[in-house]
Amino acid sequence: MISVSLNEIYSETYKALRSVNIEWSLAKDCANKAKWLAQHDQSFLGSILKTADFYQKKEITISINKNTNKKPLASALVGLLLVEYVSANKITWGGYIDSTKFLLAAMGILAEEQQIYLILENEKKRHYGIYKR
């Protein structure tokens, strides 16, 4: 089995996204979330490839306010921005996202950094909590 470091995961994810012309700050945020997912034994590669493909085809959006079921928010690219926005403004956000795992990664990163508790809830009122350590 091949093993790579978390920094290599970050670096290779960042370079892959930049190679398809994804803005550097979005690629950086996605690479941080990929690193977090790997650190927590979660798969991410297929989702990143799908995100890059959907981004190029304009089938996802990076707009927090303008997302639909047919054109969801690219959580791999702007999940951290969304979580910071919701946390800073103490609001509830409702919308469509393409990959919950990246939103959970963003919540995990922010919860660890700020020592806060965050909850993700779906339309069926199922809760997914990210706790401070």
Side-chain angles (χ1 to χ4, degrees):
M1 182 176 187
I2 297 173
S3 179
V4 295
S5 73
L6 293 175
N7 287 335
E8 288 173 303
I9 289 170
Y10 174 90
S11 176
E12 294 303 315
T13 301
Y14 175 80
K15 289 189 286 188
L17 294 172
R18 289 294 296 139
S19 74
V20 293
N21 296 321
I22 292 177
E23 183 182 322
W24 71 268
S25 61
L26 300 179
K28 177 181 160 267
D29 284 351
C30 184
N32 277 321
K33 289 186 285 284
K35 183 177 167 181
W36 188 93
L37 287 167
Q39 187 176 18
H40 292 86
D41 297 320
Q42 299 296 309
S43 61
F44 59 89
L45 184 56
S47 298
I48 288 174
L49 296 172
K50 188 184 265 187
T51 295
D53 185 44
F54 285 169
Y55 183 82
Q56 286 184 307
K57 293 178 180 176
K58 299 184 186 323
E59 293 178 2
I60 54 177
T61 183
I62 58 171
S63 172
I64 291 174
N65 298 319
K66 295 179 182 175
N67 54 78
T68 66
N69 192 32
K70 292 185 180 193
K71 196 169 183 177
L73 181 68
S75 63
L77 302 177
V78 294
L80 198 53
L81 176 66
L82 172 63
V83 174
E84 288 173 340
Y85 171 75
V86 167
S87 177
N89 293 298
K90 298 183 185 336
I91 61 169
T92 299
W93 179 85
Y96 299 91
I97 58 170
D98 69 330
S99 179
T100 8
K101 73 173 69 178
F102 286 101
L103 189 57
L104 288 171
M107 291 170 66
I109 290 167
L110 194 67
E112 289 171 11
E113 284 178 357
Q114 297 186 6
Q115 296 294 295
I116 58 174
Y117 173 79
L118 300 167
I119 296 174
L120 175 62
E121 182 177 275
N122 67 14
E123 68 259 356
K124 294 180 182 177
K125 303 297 182 198
R126 291 192 182 121
H127 297 281
Y128 306 91
I130 301 291
Y131 304 89
K132 65 181 180 179
R133 291 183 182 186

